[in-house]
């Protein structure tokens, strides 16, 4: 349990801190002094933004036209820390109660996908003589900032060289347009895009980021999402009348109060849709993940992006489902090797999932069965959390 901390009088608490205290008082989360400090920082940021809104009073975009450029700019906040520390929960509390009208909450990868689309639109328009200027970054940044004074995004991680190469110029332009950023990540700014191709060209972005956003480490050891995710939650047989409820309950614990969204990954030009995602976890139906022509690189990308994958309704397979069985073997191997968590609901025990007798799949599925048993053990779950912490 986290150490106790003095609770401020309710009259002095901001909305984020008050919402956090309600969760603590209800027993939904543990008392955590570092979370309280972050809540207070977020409330302080909202007070500055609220004062600015009150000064303009003209429209949702009054800040854009009424702000003095020589005034002390409002600095955003970059929050990083271990998986499960409540970063997304607190950011979402801040976003919901913020008085800023021109605000947006988006996943980092979704934003970058939008940016690349806007860049493509500008280049096509320039080619057709519809716009002047062949540099797409200033107009793209202006379009984004025009709609959003406050931008909140979750799971800031840079793995794509195309993103890395434009981030510095893009965000320099966004900040110049008055945008305020609140972001969460598992890593400190200096550790973004580690060992990435042409990383020296990415480093100016880190400087720009730290100039326009204060850095807050939400340190700690306990992973709140996994504290109540035990062996019985990792592999659920659908023959259990309560199987659906158990899987839904596990998913809610993984979300830990975060909003469920959709997401996508780009792997070598292919797009992998993620129908349900949140708080570093992803949820798939078997057909969505194992009946599609995906391979080891796709599953590795999922393992790099998410700490936990939940796969529902895995059927019993035989020779007729050899391709699906092969993909399932690859999925399990990839997540096992990466030390990530795999939550499964299936139509049979792990050692009865593959009924085929010919080909290599029968032999290989023996290893998959062994790994599925190991991956639901408390020892594996604790090691998975430790490996995630080491990477953060």
């Amino acid at each position: 349990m986290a150490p106790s901390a003095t609770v401020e009088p309710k009259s002095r608490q901001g909305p984020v801190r008050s919402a956090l205290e309600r969760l603590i008082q209800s027993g939904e989360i543990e008392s955590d002094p570092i979370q309280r400090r972050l809540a207070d920082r977020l409330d302080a940021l909202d007070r500055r933004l609220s004062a600015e809104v009150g000064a303009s009073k003209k429209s949702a975009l009054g800040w854009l036209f009424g702000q003095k450029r020589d005034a002390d700019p409002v600095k955003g906040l970059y929050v990083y820390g271990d998986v499960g520390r409540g970063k997304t929960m607190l950011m979402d509390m801040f976003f919901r109660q913020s008085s800023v009208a021109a605000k947006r909450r988006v996943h980092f990868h979704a934003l970058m996908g939008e940016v690349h689309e806007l860049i493509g639109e500008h280049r096509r328009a320039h080619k057709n003589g519809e716009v002047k200027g062949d540099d797409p970054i200033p107009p793209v940044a202006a379009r984004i900032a025009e709609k959003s004074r406050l931008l909140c995004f979750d799971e800031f991680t840079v793995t794509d060289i195309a993103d890395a190469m434009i981030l510095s110029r893009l965000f320099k332009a966004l900040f110049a347009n008055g945008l305020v950023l609140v972001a969460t990540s598992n890593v400190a700014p200096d550790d973004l895009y580690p060992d990435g191709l042409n990383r020296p060209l990415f480093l100016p972005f880190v400087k720009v980021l730290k100039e326009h956003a204060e850095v807050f480490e939400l340190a700690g050891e306990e992973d709140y999402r996994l504290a109540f995710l035990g062996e019985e939650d990792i592999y659920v047989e659908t023959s259990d009348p309560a199987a659906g409820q158990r899987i839904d309950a596990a998913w809610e614990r993984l979300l830990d109060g975060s909003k469920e969204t959709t997401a996508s990954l780009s792997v070598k030009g292919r797009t992998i849709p993620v129908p349900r995602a949140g708080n570093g976890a992803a949820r798939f139906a078997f057909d969505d993940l194992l009946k599609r022509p995906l391979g080891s690189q796709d599953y590795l990308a999922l393992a790099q992006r998410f700490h936990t994958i939940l796969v529902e309704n895995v059927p019993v397979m035989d020779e007729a489902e050899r391709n699906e069985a092969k993909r399932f073997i690859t999925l399990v191997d990839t997540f096992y090797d990466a030390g990530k968590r795999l939550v499964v609901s299936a139509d049979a025990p792990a050692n009865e999932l593959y009924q085929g007798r010919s080909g290599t799949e029968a032999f290989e599925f023996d290893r998959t069965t062994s790994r599925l048993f190991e991956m639901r053990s408390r020892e594996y779950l604790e090691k998975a959390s430790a490996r995630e912490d080491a990477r953060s």
Side-chain angles (χ1 to χ4, degrees):
M1 180 179 295
S4 60
T6 302
V7 179
E8 291 185 3
K10 290 184 178 180
S11 60
R12 294 171 55 189
Q13 293 175 6
V16 179
R17 179 67 180 272
S18 296
L20 180 66
E21 295 298 337
R22 286 194 293 271
L23 291 178
I24 294 171
Q25 293 301 317
S26 69
E28 294 183 48
I29 63 173
E30 296 286 341
S31 172
D32 186 327
I34 303 177
Q35 287 187 345
R36 283 186 166 118
R37 286 200 292 273
L38 176 56
D40 290 339
R41 290 280 288 277
L42 289 165
D43 281 326
L45 173 58
D46 187 58
R47 283 194 294 272
R48 284 209 64 186
L49 291 169
S50 298
E52 192 176 73
V53 170
S56 64
K57 291 186 179 180
K58 293 182 179 180
S59 71
L61 299 181
W63 60 269
L64 184 60
F65 304 105
Q67 178 179 324
K68 292 182 179 180
R69 292 303 178 192
D70 58 351
D72 183 27
V74 178
K75 294 186 74 171
L77 199 60
Y78 179 99
V79 182
Y80 76 98
D82 294 343
V83 171
R85 288 292 291 121
K87 303 182 295 293
T88 300
M89 173 188 72
L90 286 161
M91 185 187 72
D92 285 345
M93 287 178 179
F94 165 76
F95 180 80
R96 285 193 296 269
Q97 60 80 37
S98 175
S99 56
V100 177
K103 61 183 178 179
R104 185 180 180 191
R105 200 275 197 206
V106 63
H107 194 284
F108 172 70
H109 290 284
L111 175 69
M112 294 311 297
E114 178 183 322
V115 167
H116 288 297
E117 288 181 5
L118 291 174
I119 288 174
E121 288 179 12
H122 181 87
R123 286 174 174 163
R124 288 189 293 272
H126 179 261
K127 183 178 180 180
N128 295 332
E130 299 169 2
V131 297
K132 295 181 179 180
D134 59 356
D135 183 358
I137 297 299
V140 167
R143 286 181 62 178
I144 295 172
E146 183 182 10
K147 298 179 181 179
S148 304
R149 165 59 167 161
L150 172 64
L151 179 65
C152 297
F153 58 65
D154 196 20
E155 298 182 28
F156 195 141
T157 179
V158 184
T159 59
D160 189 302
I161 186 173
D163 292 346
M165 293 304 98
I166 68 171
L167 278 172
S168 179
R169 294 187 61 236
L170 173 68
F171 273 86
K172 188 174 181 179
L174 286 171
F175 292 138
N177 278 279
L179 182 136
V180 174
L181 173 70
V182 175
T184 71
S185 178
N186 291 338
V187 300
D190 290 323
D191 295 326
L192 288 167
Y193 197 52
D195 305 317
L197 187 63
N198 293 327
R199 189 170 190 268
L201 299 178
F202 167 78
L203 294 179
F205 167 70
V206 177
K207 181 175 183 293
V208 169
L209 177 64
K210 291 195 288 188
E211 287 174 351
H212 292 87
E214 297 179 359
V215 179
F216 186 102
E217 181 183 6
L218 190 57
E221 299 180 354
E222 184 173 4
D223 185 336
Y224 294 110
R225 280 190 308 276
L226 299 173
F228 305 105
L229 196 61
E231 298 178 34
E232 69 281 0
D233 301 304
I234 299 299
Y235 194 98
V236 176
E237 293 183 34
T238 56
S239 58
D240 181 348
Q245 294 176 345
R246 290 172 60 190
I247 285 294
D248 286 341
W251 179 242
E252 290 301 318
R253 286 194 290 274
L254 288 166
L255 289 177
D256 192 27
S258 299
K259 183 179 178 181
E260 179 181 307
T261 64
T262 59
S264 64
L265 281 78
S266 178
V267 182
K268 294 189 177 300
R270 302 185 306 277
T271 298
I272 305 173
V274 183
R276 306 178 70 176
N279 215 20
R283 182 173 180 174
F284 292 90
F286 177 87
D287 288 359
D288 291 337
L289 191 60
L290 282 307
K291 284 196 172 183
R292 300 188 64 214
L294 303 178
S296 59
Q297 290 184 328
D298 304 297
Y299 298 137
L300 180 59
L302 286 170
Q304 291 171 340
R305 173 81 169 272
F306 300 105
H307 59 73
T308 306
I309 292 284
L310 190 155
V311 183
E312 293 184 87
N313 301 319
V314 178
V316 174
M317 295 166 278
D318 57 22
E319 282 90 348
E321 292 81 32
R322 179 174 293 170
N323 289 334
E324 289 86 346
K326 186 68 175 179
R327 293 184 194 114
F328 188 71
I329 291 168
T330 302
L331 174 70
V332 172
D333 285 348
T334 301
F335 266 66
Y336 178 88
D337 291 339
K340 298 303 180 77
R341 292 162 286 268
L342 186 64
V343 180
V344 174
S345 72
D347 292 347
N351 61 344
E352 299 176 11
L353 274 180
Y354 189 69
Q355 300 291 322
R357 292 292 179 263
S358 63
T360 60
E361 289 76 23
F363 170 77
E364 291 177 344
F365 215 91
D366 287 340
R367 181 182 71 248
T368 298
T369 298
S370 176
R371 289 185 167 182
L372 284 171
F373 277 111
E374 182 180 348
M375 292 170 81
R376 72 174 92 168
S377 69
R378 176 50 52 182
E379 181 182 5
Y380 179 88
L381 295 175
E382 290 175 351
K383 287 181 178 179
S385 294
R387 289 181 68 170
E388 195 72 37
D389 291 343
R391 290 171 180 171
S392 300

